[in-house]
Amino acid sequence: MTDTLRIDGRTNDELRPITIERGWSEQAEGSALISYGRTRVLCTASFTNGVPRWMAGKGKGWVTAEYSMLPRSTNSRMDRESVKGKVGGRTHEISRLVGRSLRAVVDMKALGENTIVLDCDVLQADGGTRTAAITGAYVALADALAWGRDKKFIAQKAQPLTDSVSAVSVGIIGGVPMLDLAYTEDVRADTDMNVVVTGRGKFVEVQGTAEAAPFDRSELDTLLDLALAGAITLTEFQNAALEA
Amino acid sequence: MTDTLRIDGRTNDELRPITIERGWSEQAEGSALISYGRTRVLCTASFTNGVPRWMAGKGKGWVTAEYSMLPRSTNSRMDRESVKGKVGGRTHEISRLVGRSLRAVVDMKALGENTIVLDCDVLQADGGTRTAAITGAYVALADALAWGRDKKFIAQKAQPLTDSVSAVSVGIIGGVPMLDLAYTEDVRADTDMNVVVTGRGKFVEVQGTAEAAPFDRSELDTLLDLALAGAITLTEFQNAALEA
Amino acid sequence: MTDTLRIDGRTNDELRPITIERGWSEQAEGSALISYGRTRVLCTASFTNGVPRWMAGKGKGWVTAEYSMLPRSTNSRMDRESVKGKVGGRTHEISRLVGRSLRAVVDMKALGENTIVLDCDVLQADGGTRTAAITGAYVALADALAWGRDKKFIAQKAQPLTDSVSAVSVGIIGGVPMLDLAYTEDVRADTDMNVVVTGRGKFVEVQGTAEAAPFDRSELDTLLDLALAGAITLTEFQNAALEA
Amino acid sequence: MTDTLRIDGRTNDELRPITIERGWSEQAEGSALISYGRTRVLCTASFTNGVPRWMAGKGKGWVTAEYSMLPRSTNSRMDRESVKGKVGGRTHEISRLVGRSLRAVVDMKALGENTIVLDCDVLQADGGTRTAAITGAYVALADALAWGRDKKFIAQKAQPLTDSVSAVSVGIIGGVPMLDLAYTEDVRADTDMNVVVTGRGKFVEVQGTAEAAPFDRSELDTLLDLALAGAITLTEFQNAALEA
Amino acid sequence: MTDTLRIDGRTNDELRPITIERGWSEQAEGSALISYGRTRVLCTASFTNGVPRWMAGKGKGWVTAEYSMLPRSTNSRMDRESVKGKVGGRTHEISRLVGRSLRAVVDMKALGENTIVLDCDVLQADGGTRTAAITGAYVALADALAWGRDKKFIAQKAQPLTDSVSAVSVGIIGGVPMLDLAYTEDVRADTDMNVVVTGRGKFVEVQGTAEAAPFDRSELDTLLDLALAGAITLTEFQNAALEA
Amino acid sequence: MTDTLRIDGRTNDELRPITIERGWSEQAEGSALISYGRTRVLCTASFTNGVPRWMAGKGKGWVTAEYSMLPRSTNSRMDRESVKGKVGGRTHEISRLVGRSLRAVVDMKALGENTIVLDCDVLQADGGTRTAAITGAYVALADALAWGRDKKFIAQKAQPLTDSVSAVSVGIIGGVPMLDLAYTEDVRADTDMNVVVTGRGKFVEVQGTAEAAPFDRSELDTLLDLALAGAITLTEFQNAALEA
């Protein structure tokens, strides 16, 4: 891989500085303030004993997520979706992605009839907000599950987490595949892909989009290699945060 | 590939019966009623000379799409989104996917300051509605572009279409990769992937989701092979319809 | 009555070509794709055992309807009501009219505690969409009732249908009363009337509106004559479809 | 006609006590508090010089109406439509009816590029609110037009009003046709009809609905006779109010 | 206090003419049409036996309020909130104020499991609409409580009303403190304060806002003196209405 | 004043620990992350050159505010207002309060035709969120004004800030007046008051509410004394942050 110098001096296969402040919120059952460079997402996990009525009596739990951006998380202010009176398509789409990604590593039987809502609020946005949301939400989720076990809402022997999960973006810019795109890189990308990977290295989601030019099989392969390598590092950050 | 007999007798790499009724709508500038088996989607293309104010003066056009399901297109009736007062997350997500997929084969400079809206209304749903929508919308789009050229809204020498585009779903069911899932297959899939491919065989979108179990690199590769082969056949159906 | 030649060569008391494709939808308990000339409406009937909570325990059923137009059913594209976030006045008004018209021929006691929702989606609009919706919805309703009887949700001796029902528009154009107005006729009409009539020739709804000039008693009488005659023919089409 | 004694002692062809307090609102350009028995509707007419942008430059004006009920105008409290976040079907339908009815007696060319909004707010409801709204709105409209002429927004020679307009309900209860139904009569009616009539006795709207039993031609004729007679009296009340 | 002559000839510590028409609505359990000069508010109280599900079983009642303005209550027409599809901030804020103010004089235990909704609809607005709403709502509330006792929904010995409550605005205009501002005064005020006071002279709400210039402690004291004096007179009007 | 020990050991006239992290957001023209104990509010100021169309050409600017709470800022999760599709009454009310409070210290002529939007997002809530929002928003506003002057959008000699502004809550709990209520204190308060004060010690807003028991004049006086003293300290924190 060519080693084009990126705007912030990173190599093409290098993540931005990652930090995870576990337990940032004192009110939630689990929380993490995660940053991928300047991108900062506050992830909280809310644990509720019980499930929605339509799910009750099946001995299974539920995990869902909501993603949102503060109006001035971005470079120019956006109108609030609450003021516009509806949730936009992009917000909906990312909320669904985050929810699916976390559910992929939860055994709903082991969770029992409990509900966890993951809120991912972007405080500052500089590209990769959905991937940071997934990586941070996993840490919040793990703590909320520990809380639920402590409170006896989850059986002592149950293992609701089947794996860990993290996410990262990759893309092709000027013909060069790169890992973890910052906003200025993202807008110039020909192809942009978000990859959600488990701690064991399996895929949960692969979402590749040709923004400017369709991509071929070999480009796809290179992007997946970059993403899998990045996910290994992200998993280490998650583990370090959870062991702290 | 194992040749498990599917519910409708297809082999694993076989598409359902495909039909495209071009010009089904007499009002739109382009239209197609497409069916993938029992899935039927009415696609219309509405051509408007001019672009939204915020785009004006740049010499470029715009293509967008809206996807929707009739309330009783499905096996049990769904509430109308107009009655609920908001467009759901899934609808938003698919509308955005269809729009991006079609824009990937349009040269906006060659389109000039014209707007095309693609409406994809699912009349009957049996799995793969979003992929049928994309494949059908391409036919409607092609006719709307021809109409625009006829009316001199598009320059005679301009070539707004850079390629054709079609889409198909693939998935892994009981460990077996299969092409073009019907609804009953889709709900049993461990992994579900929608792949949008150009006529020249490049990827526009790859959206793979582990519904039940994360998937590995070799499974991903097999699914992509199936999708690329299916896309070749779909392209032939599109060409046949447009030449009719 | 003067025999002015109409745009499509019809006489003033002549309906457009009527077709009814019964069972067009394979998912609904009853369905019909009806056309009055170029106007095409897909009518489905969804049968649910049980009634809304507020009606339960009274031994009576409920029939309701929703009407909607596809955005490009018309000559120029309309915004979707789901996207606008609210159902418009005209849509509401027609949905209510269709529901009332069908309820007029249903004995709710004989229906028992079952609910039928009639969805009338206009695929192509060329005037008279609400009247086609009513005529087609009757066919879908009849099939859904037969389905309910088959499934034993309706008592074997019960006769929920007390009569059939159809509808047609009439109007005065340039002083001349005409039957079944096409869109180009409708916009030029001084007076426009929608008449819903039972198979036995009684009125269910008479909705006359002076679009351009108030009308007198004798004009009203002539319009009612035209409508009653048209309804006889429409009833024959319904019966033919149901006997097929 | 049989002279069944009605709950309030009226004969079948008798209106309830009618009062019109012209100028009840001190802020509007025209206003009337009208009562049909216990039904009370506050009608205001708001005159604006100019028309919406899409109508400008055609030398024509516009008249529109909005109808609404106070939440406790009825016997049991209804939720406010503002709180529910949407205007209901019945409200929409009546607003449209009131607007059409008043436009039927306005010459838009003579009105010139001016807009009049008629607000009809039901303060107390006891049946016939839409008909009282139309009759009262005419008085408010007449005053608003006079105001517009005074302010020179309407040309001195222009005659925007081509006629007067009033409305009344009629219905068949227990086989007996009756004029101006109170709420307790309305709920028992087999057939209910709202008739909008000009001062010269021509029909503007005829909206008959078989609530319980389809009606035949001779019943329709009797109802129209009753309505036309009632309209003559209502016109006298309007004239008296405007001459006061 | 300087005795500047006000636009309507009042002294600075003088209320506008106050009238209270108790029982104006024949449908509600309690009602009052109150006027503060040209400001007219129709207040109704709707009594329901029972409380919302989330409150049931605690032996306590609930009182809530909704405030709204008719579109042409003001000098220029406002759009309806039902048509805009949402309740505005000002409306929400005043509804909450009215509810809190009335709850301050109700003993919820003595009320028992009953709900009272106070609707305050401004028919004509000339400043002070929220204060007139509170003063009038108290009269409607008192009658609804009497009705509830009559119907045995409230225990015979229970005393739900702990005091009476009224409200008035005060403000500083051109440096001069004044009582009960009319609209033209309100728009010129440097400081505007709404004060809600019980019959025994205690404060329920004090809401002072520096519209144009921050105010000091002595100005605040003078305004509170004016408001307390005004409240004594308003209480007398309330008592007179309730004794009539 | 009695020195009751409060839950966190404070005296009755003592603020919670106050911190102001100026410039927390790297994207906004001004920002501050403020905390009053565990209450944390992220305040950003967005500066736009120009004003809304309806204000243009008057040489004056505009300052507005939006307040919102993250769904899990509180002890139990709240639904998002964007998902509910409307902004609640409390949110509206506080947004309006914050906007008015800041406008009270801005000279709109000196600001020139520029717009500043203050977003106050509560990341963690433990009582006093609206007062922390006002105090923090002032710091963000001051920085945004400095930015505007740097960019020459504000004239060099203009002094848009006429004073500073801060806010604090006071209340009576168990008969004892206290400063800066934490959440557990707030819910037990008989009376709750929010006071907005300028740096020079004048009132901008006084909003006192009898939550449980009406309050008398001397209680009001004691609360105002506490608030004025607290505001002096808050002003010092603001100045310290702005001088850092």
Side-chain angles (χ1 to χ4, degrees):
Chain A
M1 192 178 308
T2 323
D3 244 283
T4 312
L5 201 63
R6 295 165 79 174
I7 194 165
D8 52 3
R10 283 188 285 157
T11 57
N12 295 333
D13 59 354
E14 193 178 347
L15 294 168
R16 289 176 286 178
I18 307 294
T19 66
I20 302 179
E21 291 185 56
R22 182 182 166 206
W24 196 88
S25 165
E26 301 168 58
Q27 312 263 31
E29 286 74 39
S31 70
L33 177 62
I34 191 167
S35 60
Y36 277 32
R38 302 209 315 171
T39 288
R40 291 181 209 158
V41 185
L42 177 55
C43 306
T44 60
S46 299
F47 190 106
T48 311
N49 183 229
V51 287
R53 191 170 308 182
W54 58 272
M55 285 192 66
K58 299 181 186 162
K60 293 166 77 172
W62 189 239
V63 173
T64 187
E66 290 184 9
Y67 164 98
S68 186
M69 296 179 84
L70 292 201
R72 192 55 201 278
S73 57
T74 42
N75 195 49
S76 59
R77 187 179 184 274
M78 305 177 299
D79 287 339
R80 283 176 195 270
E81 295 186 329
S82 58
V83 170
K84 288 193 286 185
K86 56 182 171 186
V87 172
R90 179 183 173 278
T91 297
H92 253 142
E93 192 170 323
I94 299 178
S95 293
R96 287 156 55 89
L97 169 66
V98 177
R100 280 199 312 273
S101 297
L102 277 296
R103 282 194 294 277
V105 296
V106 176
D107 174 343
M108 294 300 166
K109 284 269 181 198
L111 174 55
E113 293 206 354
N114 295 298
T115 303
I116 296 175
V117 181
L118 300 161
D119 285 291
C120 301
D121 286 271
V122 179
L123 305 188
Q124 191 161 278
D126 186 28
T129 59
R130 80 188 70 187
T131 56
I134 291 168
T135 305
Y138 171 73
V139 174
L141 172 67
D143 272 347
L145 289 169
W147 183 93
R149 187 187 301 271
D150 251 34
K151 298 289 180 193
K152 319 275 190 209
F153 293 134
I154 295 176
Q156 289 311 301
K157 291 188 188 163
Q159 298 292 352
L161 279 181
T162 59
D163 203 340
S164 68
V165 66
S166 69
V168 71
S169 71
V170 284
I172 301 173
I173 300 165
V176 184
M178 293 183 182
L179 178 68
D180 186 24
L181 309 188
Y183 180 71
T184 49
E185 294 173 332
D186 190 60
V187 294
R188 292 188 302 122
D190 295 320
T191 288
D192 175 27
M193 187 175 293
N194 291 293
V195 186
V196 183
V197 184
T198 67
R200 294 199 188 93
K202 288 197 153 194
F203 295 110
V204 168
E205 290 271 340
V206 173
Q207 295 201 340
T209 296
E211 299 286 349
F215 51 100
D216 62 26
R217 191 72 174 261
S218 80
E219 287 171 317
L220 176 58
D221 284 336
T222 310
L223 291 173
L224 293 172
D225 291 337
L226 274 176
L228 287 170
I232 290 172
T233 309
L234 290 166
T235 301
E236 290 165 0
F237 275 103
Q238 290 174 321
N239 291 340
L242 286 167
E243 283 156 17
Chain B
M1 193 178 309
T2 322
D3 243 282
T4 312
L5 200 63
R6 296 164 78 174
I7 195 165
D8 51 3
R10 281 187 286 157
T11 56
N12 296 331
D13 60 353
E14 193 178 347
L15 293 169
R16 290 176 284 179
I18 307 295
T19 66
I20 303 178
E21 289 184 57
R22 182 181 165 206
W24 196 88
S25 166
E26 301 169 58
Q27 311 264 33
E29 285 75 38
S31 70
L33 177 61
I34 190 167
S35 61
Y36 278 31
R38 302 208 316 169
T39 289
R40 290 181 210 157
V41 185
L42 177 54
C43 306
T44 59
S46 299
F47 190 107
T48 311
N49 183 229
V51 287
R53 191 169 308 183
W54 58 273
M55 283 192 67
K58 300 182 184 161
K60 294 166 78 173
W62 188 237
V63 172
T64 187
E66 290 185 8
Y67 165 98
S68 186
M69 296 178 86
L70 290 201
R72 193 55 200 279
S73 56
T74 45
N75 196 49
S76 60
R77 188 179 185 275
M78 305 178 300
D79 288 338
R80 282 176 197 270
E81 295 187 328
S82 58
V83 170
K84 289 193 286 185
K86 55 182 172 185
V87 172
R90 180 184 173 277
T91 299
H92 254 142
E93 192 169 322
I94 298 178
S95 293
R96 288 157 53 90
L97 169 66
V98 177
R100 280 199 311 271
S101 297
L102 276 295
R103 281 194 295 276
V105 297
V106 176
D107 174 343
M108 296 300 167
K109 284 270 181 198
L111 174 54
E113 296 206 353
N114 295 299
T115 302
I116 295 174
V117 181
L118 300 161
D119 285 291
C120 300
D121 286 88
V122 179
L123 304 188
Q124 190 162 279
D126 186 27
T129 59
R130 78 189 71 186
T131 56
I134 291 167
T135 305
Y138 171 73
V139 174
L141 172 68
D143 271 347
L145 289 169
W147 182 93
R149 188 188 300 273
D150 251 33
K151 297 291 178 192
K152 319 277 190 205
F153 294 135
I154 295 175
Q156 290 312 300
K157 291 188 189 165
Q159 297 293 351
L161 279 181
T162 58
D163 203 338
S164 69
V165 67
S166 69
V168 71
S169 70
V170 284
I172 300 173
I173 300 166
V176 183
M178 293 183 181
L179 177 67
D180 187 22
L181 311 187
Y183 180 72
T184 50
E185 295 173 331
D186 190 60
V187 293
R188 292 189 301 123
D190 296 321
T191 289
D192 177 25
M193 187 174 295
N194 291 293
V195 186
V196 184
V197 184
T198 67
R200 295 200 187 92
K202 289 198 153 193
F203 296 110
V204 168
E205 290 271 341
V206 173
Q207 295 202 339
T209 297
E211 298 287 348
F215 51 101
D216 63 25
R217 191 70 173 262
S218 80
E219 288 171 315
L220 176 58
D221 283 337
T222 310
L223 291 173
L224 293 172
D225 290 338
L226 275 175
L228 287 170
I232 291 172
T233 307
L234 289 166
T235 302
E236 291 166 359
F237 276 103
Q238 290 174 321
N239 291 340
L242 287 167
E243 281 157 20
Chain C
M1 192 178 309
T2 324
D3 244 280
T4 312
L5 202 62
R6 295 165 78 174
I7 195 164
D8 51 3
R10 283 188 284 157
T11 58
N12 296 332
D13 58 354
E14 193 178 348
L15 293 167
R16 289 176 286 179
I18 307 294
T19 67
I20 303 179
E21 290 183 56
R22 181 182 165 206
W24 196 88
S25 167
E26 301 167 58
Q27 312 262 33
E29 285 74 40
S31 70
L33 176 62
I34 190 167
S35 61
Y36 278 30
R38 303 208 314 170
T39 289
R40 291 180 209 158
V41 185
L42 176 55
C43 305
T44 61
S46 298
F47 190 106
T48 311
N49 182 229
V51 286
R53 190 169 309 183
W54 59 272
M55 284 193 66
K58 299 181 184 163
K60 293 167 76 172
W62 189 238
V63 173
T64 186
E66 290 185 10
Y67 165 98
S68 186
M69 298 179 86
L70 291 200
R72 193 54 202 278
S73 57
T74 44
N75 196 48
S76 60
R77 187 179 184 274
M78 304 178 299
D79 287 338
R80 282 176 197 270
E81 295 186 330
S82 58
V83 171
K84 288 194 286 184
K86 56 182 172 185
V87 172
R90 180 183 173 278
T91 297
H92 254 143
E93 191 169 324
I94 297 178
S95 293
R96 288 157 54 90
L97 169 67
V98 177
R100 280 198 312 271
S101 296
L102 277 296
R103 283 193 294 277
V105 297
V106 176
D107 174 344
M108 295 299 166
K109 284 269 181 199
L111 174 54
E113 295 206 354
N114 295 298
T115 303
I116 295 174
V117 181
L118 300 160
D119 286 291
C120 300
D121 287 89
V122 179
L123 304 187
Q124 191 161 279
D126 186 28
T129 60
R130 78 189 71 187
T131 57
I134 290 168
T135 305
Y138 170 75
V139 173
L141 172 67
D143 272 348
L145 289 169
W147 182 93
R149 186 188 301 273
D150 250 34
K151 297 286 179 196
K152 317 276 191 208
F153 294 135
I154 296 176
Q156 290 310 302
K157 291 188 189 166
Q159 297 292 353
L161 278 182
T162 58
D163 203 339
S164 68
V165 66
S166 69
V168 71
S169 72
V170 284
I172 300 173
I173 299 165
V176 184
M178 294 183 181
L179 178 67
D180 186 24
L181 310 187
Y183 179 71
T184 50
E185 293 172 333
D186 190 60
V187 294
R188 291 190 301 121
D190 295 321
T191 289
D192 176 26
M193 187 173 295
N194 291 293
V195 187
V196 183
V197 184
T198 67
R200 295 200 186 91
K202 288 198 154 195
F203 296 109
V204 168
E205 290 270 340
V206 174
Q207 296 202 339
T209 298
E211 299 287 348
F215 52 100
D216 63 25
R217 190 71 173 263
S218 80
E219 288 172 316
L220 175 58
D221 284 336
T222 309
L223 290 173
L224 293 171
D225 291 339
L226 274 175
L228 286 170
I232 291 171
T233 308
L234 289 166
T235 302
E236 292 166 0
F237 276 103
Q238 290 175 321
N239 291 340
L242 286 167
E243 283 155 17
Chain D
M1 191 177 310
T2 321
D3 243 281
T4 313
L5 201 61
R6 296 165 77 175
I7 194 163
D8 52 2
R10 282 187 286 156
T11 57
N12 296 332
D13 60 352
E14 193 178 347
L15 294 168
R16 289 176 286 179
I18 307 294
T19 67
I20 303 178
E21 290 184 57
R22 180 182 166 206
W24 195 87
S25 165
E26 301 167 58
Q27 311 263 31
E29 285 76 39
S31 70
L33 177 61
I34 190 166
S35 61
Y36 277 32
R38 301 208 316 170
T39 289
R40 291 180 209 157
V41 185
L42 177 55
C43 306
T44 60
S46 298
F47 190 108
T48 311
N49 183 230
V51 287
R53 191 169 308 183
W54 58 272
M55 286 193 64
K58 299 180 183 164
K60 294 167 77 172
W62 190 239
V63 173
T64 186
E66 290 185 8
Y67 165 98
S68 186
M69 297 180 84
L70 291 201
R72 192 54 201 277
S73 56
T74 44
N75 195 48
S76 61
R77 187 179 184 275
M78 305 178 299
D79 288 338
R80 281 175 197 271
E81 296 187 327
S82 58
V83 170
K84 288 193 286 185
K86 57 182 170 185
V87 172
R90 180 183 173 278
T91 298
H92 253 142
E93 192 169 324
I94 299 179
S95 293
R96 286 157 54 91
L97 170 66
V98 177
R100 281 200 309 273
S101 297
L102 276 295
R103 282 195 294 276
V105 296
V106 176
D107 175 343
M108 295 299 167
K109 284 270 181 199
L111 174 55
E113 295 206 354
N114 295 298
T115 303
I116 295 175
V117 181
L118 299 161
D119 285 291
C120 300
D121 286 89
V122 179
L123 304 189
Q124 191 161 278
D126 186 29
T129 59
R130 80 188 71 187
T131 57
I134 292 167
T135 306
Y138 171 73
V139 174
L141 171 67
D143 272 347
L145 289 169
W147 182 93
R149 188 188 299 274
D150 251 35
K151 297 288 179 194
K152 317 277 190 208
F153 294 134
I154 296 175
Q156 289 312 300
K157 290 188 190 164
Q159 297 294 350
L161 279 180
T162 58
D163 203 338
S164 68
V165 67
S166 69
V168 71
S169 71
V170 285
I172 300 173
I173 299 166
V176 185
M178 293 183 183
L179 178 67
D180 186 23
L181 310 187
Y183 180 72
T184 50
E185 294 173 332
D186 190 60
V187 293
R188 291 189 302 121
D190 296 321
T191 289
D192 176 27
M193 187 175 293
N194 291 293
V195 186
V196 183
V197 184
T198 67
R200 294 201 187 91
K202 289 197 153 195
F203 296 110
V204 168
E205 291 270 341
V206 174
Q207 295 203 339
T209 298
E211 301 285 349
F215 52 99
D216 64 24
R217 190 70 175 263
S218 81
E219 288 171 316
L220 176 58
D221 284 336
T222 310
L223 290 173
L224 293 172
D225 291 338
L226 274 175
L228 287 170
I232 291 171
T233 308
L234 288 165
T235 303
E236 291 165 1
F237 276 104
Q238 290 174 321
N239 291 339
L242 286 167
E243 282 156 17
Chain E
M1 193 179 309
T2 323
D3 244 281
T4 312
L5 200 62
R6 295 163 79 174
I7 193 163
D8 52 3
R10 284 188 285 157
T11 56
N12 296 332
D13 58 355
E14 194 178 346
L15 294 168
R16 289 176 285 180
I18 307 295
T19 67
I20 302 179
E21 289 185 58
R22 182 181 165 206
W24 196 87
S25 167
E26 300 167 59
Q27 311 264 33
E29 286 74 40
S31 70
L33 177 61
I34 191 167
S35 61
Y36 279 31
R38 303 208 316 171
T39 290
R40 292 182 208 157
V41 185
L42 177 55
C43 305
T44 60
S46 298
F47 190 107
T48 311
N49 183 230
V51 286
R53 190 169 309 183
W54 58 271
M55 284 192 67
K58 299 182 185 162
K60 294 165 78 172
W62 189 238
V63 173
T64 187
E66 290 185 10
Y67 165 99
S68 186
M69 297 179 84
L70 291 200
R72 194 53 201 278
S73 57
T74 44
N75 196 49
S76 60
R77 188 179 184 275
M78 304 178 300
D79 287 339
R80 283 176 196 269
E81 294 187 329
S82 58
V83 170
K84 289 192 287 184
K86 57 182 171 185
V87 172
R90 179 183 173 278
T91 298
H92 253 143
E93 191 170 323
I94 298 178
S95 293
R96 287 158 54 90
L97 170 66
V98 177
R100 281 199 310 272
S101 297
L102 276 296
R103 283 195 293 276
V105 297
V106 176
D107 175 343
M108 295 300 167
K109 284 268 180 199
L111 174 54
E113 294 206 354
N114 294 299
T115 302
I116 296 174
V117 181
L118 299 161
D119 285 291
C120 300
D121 285 89
V122 179
L123 305 188
Q124 190 161 279
D126 185 28
T129 60
R130 80 188 70 187
T131 56
I134 291 167
T135 305
Y138 171 74
V139 173
L141 171 67
D143 271 347
L145 289 169
W147 182 93
R149 187 188 300 273
D150 251 33
K151 297 289 180 194
K152 316 278 191 207
F153 293 134
I154 296 176
Q156 291 311 302
K157 290 188 190 164
Q159 297 293 351
L161 278 182
T162 58
D163 203 339
S164 68
V165 67
S166 69
V168 70
S169 71
V170 284
I172 300 173
I173 299 165
V176 184
M178 293 182 182
L179 178 67
D180 187 23
L181 310 187
Y183 180 71
T184 49
E185 294 172 332
D186 191 60
V187 294
R188 291 190 301 121
D190 296 321
T191 289
D192 177 26
M193 186 173 293
N194 290 293
V195 186
V196 183
V197 184
T198 68
R200 294 199 188 94
K202 288 196 154 196
F203 296 110
V204 168
E205 289 270 341
V206 173
Q207 295 202 339
T209 297
E211 300 286 347
F215 51 100
D216 63 25
R217 190 71 175 261
S218 81
E219 288 170 316
L220 176 59
D221 284 336
T222 308
L223 290 173
L224 293 172
D225 291 339
L226 274 175
L228 287 169
I232 291 171
T233 307
L234 290 165
T235 302
E236 290 166 0
F237 276 103
Q238 289 175 321
N239 290 340
L242 286 167
E243 282 156 18
Chain F
M1 193 177 306
T2 321
D3 244 281
T4 312
L5 201 61
R6 295 165 78 174
I7 193 164
D8 52 2
R10 281 188 287 157
T11 57
N12 296 332
D13 59 352
E14 194 179 347
L15 295 168
R16 289 177 284 178
I18 306 294
T19 66
I20 303 178
E21 290 184 56
R22 182 181 166 206
W24 195 88
S25 166
E26 301 168 58
Q27 310 264 33
E29 285 74 40
S31 70
L33 177 62
I34 191 167
S35 61
Y36 279 30
R38 302 207 316 170
T39 290
R40 291 181 210 158
V41 185
L42 177 54
C43 305
T44 59
S46 298
F47 190 107
T48 312
N49 183 229
V51 287
R53 191 170 308 182
W54 58 272
M55 284 193 65
K58 299 183 185 162
K60 295 166 77 172
W62 189 239
V63 173
T64 187
E66 289 184 9
Y67 164 99
S68 186
M69 297 180 85
L70 291 200
R72 193 54 201 277
S73 56
T74 43
N75 196 48
S76 59
R77 188 179 184 275
M78 305 177 300
D79 287 338
R80 282 175 196 270
E81 296 187 328
S82 58
V83 170
K84 289 193 286 185
K86 57 182 170 183
V87 172
R90 178 183 173 279
T91 298
H92 253 142
E93 192 170 324
I94 299 178
S95 293
R96 288 157 53 92
L97 170 66
V98 177
R100 281 199 311 271
S101 296
L102 276 295
R103 283 194 293 277
V105 296
V106 176
D107 174 343
M108 295 298 167
K109 284 270 182 198
L111 174 55
E113 295 206 354
N114 294 298
T115 303
I116 296 174
V117 181
L118 299 161
D119 285 291
C120 301
D121 286 89
V122 179
L123 304 188
Q124 190 161 279
D126 186 29
T129 59
R130 78 189 71 187
T131 57
I134 291 168
T135 305
Y138 171 74
V139 173
L141 172 67
D143 271 347
L145 290 170
W147 182 92
R149 188 188 299 274
D150 251 34
K151 298 288 180 192
K152 317 277 190 208
F153 294 135
I154 297 176
Q156 290 310 302
K157 290 187 188 165
Q159 297 293 350
L161 279 181
T162 59
D163 203 339
S164 69
V165 66
S166 69
V168 71
S169 71
V170 286
I172 299 174
I173 298 165
V176 184
M178 292 182 182
L179 179 67
D180 187 22
L181 310 187
Y183 180 70
T184 50
E185 294 173 333
D186 191 58
V187 293
R188 293 189 300 120
D190 296 320
T191 289
D192 177 25
M193 186 173 296
N194 291 293
V195 186
V196 184
V197 184
T198 67
R200 294 199 187 93
K202 289 197 153 195
F203 296 110
V204 168
E205 290 271 341
V206 174
Q207 295 202 340
T209 297
E211 299 286 349
F215 52 99
D216 63 24
R217 189 72 173 262
S218 80
E219 288 171 316
L220 176 58
D221 284 337
T222 308
L223 290 173
L224 294 172
D225 290 339
L226 274 175
L228 287 170
I232 291 172
T233 308
L234 290 165
T235 303
E236 291 165 0
F237 276 103
Q238 291 174 320
N239 291 340
L242 287 167
E243 282 157 18

